[in-house]
Amino acid sequence: MEVFDIVIIGAGPAGSTAAWHLSGQGLKIALLDKKSFPRDKVCGDALSGNTIFELKKLEDKGLDLSFFEVTENAYPVDGWSFFSPKGHRLDLFLPNEQKITEGKLKYPGFVSKRFDFDHFLLTPLRKTANIVVFENCEVKQIDFHNDKVKIICADRDLEAKLVLGADGANSILARKLWREKIDRAHYSAGLRQYFRNVKFEREKQLIELHFLPEILPGYFWIFPMADNVANVGIGMLSSEIEKRSINLKAVMKDIIQHHPKVSSRFHKAEALESPKGFGLPLGSRKSQVSGDRFLLVGDAASLIDPFTGEGIGFAMKSGRLAAHFILSKWGYHDFHNNQEYDEMLWKKIGGDILTAYRIQKLLRFPWLFDWVVKKANSSPSIWNLLNRMVWYPSERQNLSNPLFYFKVFRKS
Ligand SMILES: Cc1cc2nc3c(=O)[nH]c(=O)nc-3n(C[C@H](O)[C@H](O)[C@H](O)COP(=O)(O)OP(=O)(O)OC[C@H]3O[C@@H](n4cnc5c(N)ncnc54)[C@H](O)[C@@H]3O)c2cc1C
């Protein structure tokens, strides 16, 4: 039996970020993962606002961000292209004067294979004092006792005072302990397929979100990467997939081969893999994220943005917040009741997520999306308004406010 203060299950962005923020405080930490790194994780690989913010916080803890100076590691992007249901395109990007010119993160966003990005976050932790990284270590069982937790993996047993569940969408803690069923209204299914030689037509490198009518309230994406590779995928609400008996792989294939707005981009493209799927636990309702001697972070805590499908930034943020919660209580709190963590996490993240949920719901009115995109393309002031919402999440709530549409109407 190996004894630790804290065991973190899962070494994705949530688990590694928590370990970074817990390091250097004298606590003995085990960070374990069922896979050995580098490992693939099905994802769109897009790193935007929230992730960049958290990376800067980790730089303060000693993470070397030179990784982002190599295009093959992390392909820089200028912003987003939204394609409305009727195919109107709206490009939102940071105006030149607002571009970041200092530091190693010179772009507002990047596309980085999780194979590389997660390995980059984890690697320095292998050499960090008081952190032991166990790979190929799948947690099979967790036994809670009054004064400790026993974590049973395939080939070793660990003991800790507290467990951090950073084990993603299929979290053993979130699922097996609570036997929580997936609520399909708050869960999406996604597919990813890497392609080479997809046609791009712009000067600016933008990540593209195509809100095709067939898959609303989901979208089809094309994200540019180095070496003419693109991350291509589709994400859709699980309740809609079930209601409409949709075969997502067949829909994605059909879009790539036949969709009038998209297929011409793929005439010379070569698929580098077959489509791979994974679930997205959305943060569109408040979930319980703690229990007796455990806290959940990242996808295990269901924190994915219900509009964009982004979860890496919130995973990292929750890892940081959980670490701060633990450090602020260590020594005098017994971690039996961690309700305070639930409240704090929701206070810091819930507002942004609920705004995204309201926007997701607006996708029930595709004509509204088309109308706003058309207006933004013909009115610089509306474009500015929408652009600010992309870069400053606090302004996003405008989108779910009827007054915003009145403003658009008046300015048109
Ligand atoms: C198709 C798709 C596209 C997406 N696109 C984007 C995007 O472009 N941008 C974005 O920001 N987000 C995106 N997301 C969401 C993003 O992938 C997740 O939010 C993010 O990976 C969450 O990080 P995490 O650390 O919580 O979990 P994960 O990254 O899933 O890490 C969990 C880790 O736990 C390990 N683990 C699991 N079970 C056990 C066990 N029993 N024992 C030990 N280890 C275990 C796993 O091996 C894994 O390494 C996408 C998701 C999907 C499915």
Side-chain angles (χ1 to χ4, degrees):
M1 181 75 69
E2 293 161 87
V3 180
F4 293 87
D5 289 314
I6 299 163
V7 167
I8 305 173
I9 307 174
S16 287
T17 303
W20 269 98
H21 286 284
L22 286 166
S23 66
Q25 306 291 327
L27 297 177
K28 211 177 156 207
I29 293 153
L31 174 60
L32 45 97
D33 203 288
K34 65 179 178 185
K35 298 273 178 65
S36 102
F37 285 65
R39 61 98 180 86
D40 185 28
K41 154 79 176 84
V42 174
C43 187
D45 302 330
L47 312 176
S48 62
N50 285 326
T51 307
I52 304 292
F53 181 82
E54 294 302 326
L55 284 166
K56 286 184 180 154
K57 294 252 172 220
L58 290 184
E59 190 178 29
D60 298 340
K61 295 281 300 175
L63 178 66
D64 178 2
L65 296 182
S66 329
F67 176 85
F68 290 91
E69 294 177 330
V70 180
T71 306
E72 283 73 22
N73 292 337
Y75 192 72
V77 288
D78 293 303
W80 309 63
S81 262
F82 292 92
F83 290 78
S84 74
K86 280 205 173 138
H88 303 298
R89 172 172 164 175
L90 176 65
D91 291 349
L92 298 176
F93 45 85
L94 270 189
N96 276 338
E97 64 277 11
Q98 287 181 29
K99 285 241 168 82
I100 309 143
T101 50
E102 283 168 21
K104 288 173 181 150
L105 293 169
K106 290 202 174 81
Y107 285 83
F110 294 86
V111 184
S112 174
K113 283 189 176 170
R114 297 290 299 278
F115 186 85
D116 300 317
F117 178 70
D118 290 15
H119 189 225
F120 150 75
L121 283 182
L122 174 68
T123 300
L125 294 169
R126 292 198 177 105
K127 291 188 188 148
T128 303
N130 283 338
I131 295 184
V132 185
V133 176
F134 295 106
E135 291 167 82
N136 297 313
C137 183
E138 179 167 7
V139 175
K140 300 277 190 192
Q141 193 183 324
I142 305 173
D143 294 333
F144 290 91
H145 300 265
N146 191 41
D147 56 342
K148 60 180 174 258
V149 192
K150 285 189 179 167
I151 298 104
I152 296 149
C153 307
D155 62 353
R156 54 170 32 96
D157 293 352
L158 311 178
E159 191 182 294
K161 295 192 180 74
L162 182 71
V163 179
L164 215 55
D167 46 344
N170 302 318
S171 164
I172 184 169
L173 270 167
R175 287 279 170 70
K176 294 206 171 155
L177 292 183
W178 300 341
R179 307 194 192 290
E180 186 183 298
K181 281 202 189 120
I182 289 178
D183 181 344
R184 290 172 192 276
H186 301 276
Y187 204 89
S188 277
L191 293 175
R192 175 211 75 194
Q193 191 172 21
Y194 289 122
F195 277 85
R196 197 185 297 285
N197 295 332
V198 176
K199 194 172 163 201
F200 286 92
E201 293 158 344
R202 320 153 296 247
E203 288 161 33
K204 288 195 179 299
Q205 296 296 347
L206 304 171
I207 61 175
E208 296 178 22
L209 273 49
H210 297 256
F211 291 86
L212 306 173
E214 302 82 341
I215 52 173
L216 287 175
Y219 63 82
F220 174 80
W221 72 79
I222 307 175
F223 297 167
M225 306 181 95
D227 297 329
N228 284 329
V229 173
N231 181 320
V232 176
I234 188 169
M236 206 177 162
L237 206 57
S238 297
S239 53
E240 286 298 311
I241 293 178
E242 189 180 36
K243 197 163 85 193
R244 288 147 62 182
S245 304
I246 281 175
N247 175 337
L248 209 53
K249 279 192 184 170
V251 171
M252 175 150 146
K253 190 173 169 194
D254 193 52
I255 290 171
I256 289 170
Q257 290 184 346
H258 304 297
H259 201 285
K261 304 268 186 249
V262 173
S263 58
S264 61
R265 310 267 303 274
F266 284 85
H267 283 167
K268 292 189 178 155
E270 171 203 355
L272 301 177
E273 59 173 355
S274 54
K276 295 196 165 47
F278 210 75
L280 294 91
L282 307 177
S284 40
R285 55 148 194 197
K286 190 178 175 200
S287 301
Q288 190 184 340
V289 291
S290 73
D292 197 359
R293 291 193 179 277
F294 74 87
L295 309 178
L296 300 178
V297 287
D299 280 10
S302 296
L303 293 178
I304 293 184
D305 180 309
F307 176 58
T308 64
E310 290 179 280
I312 301 169
F314 286 139
M316 294 176 74
K317 185 168 181 171
S318 60
R320 172 169 62 82
L321 293 172
H324 288 175
F325 176 81
I326 294 167
L327 292 174
S328 70
K329 307 271 171 209
W330 198 262
Y332 64 90
H333 186 63
D334 60 10
F335 294 106
H336 279 300
N337 182 348
N338 300 301
Q339 186 64 29
E340 225 182 293
Y341 168 72
D342 289 54
E343 298 314 321
M344 182 268 292
L345 191 67
W346 192 247
K347 197 169 156 204
K348 302 264 183 190
I349 292 184
D352 284 353
I353 286 187
L354 285 182
T355 302
Y357 185 42
R358 285 188 206 110
I359 299 170
Q360 183 221 70
K361 283 195 167 291
L362 283 181
L363 291 174
R364 288 193 190 144
F365 310 106
W367 56 268
L368 188 65
F369 196 158
D370 284 309
W371 180 70
V372 171
V373 166
K374 265 170 77 178
K375 296 291 168 208
N377 279 327
S378 60
S379 157
S381 63
I382 296 171
W383 184 88
N384 274 325
L385 214 62
L386 286 169
N387 208 30
R388 282 188 67 80
M389 289 179 201
V390 167
W391 302 111
Y392 307 102
S394 57
E395 296 192 22
R396 259 179 225 168
Q397 33 193 305
N398 287 334
L399 261 189
S400 53
N401 182 345
L403 271 179
F404 165 76
Y405 299 93
F406 181 65
K407 250 189 225 170
V408 174
F409 183 72
R410 255 196 3 195
K411 285 187 180 176
S412 55

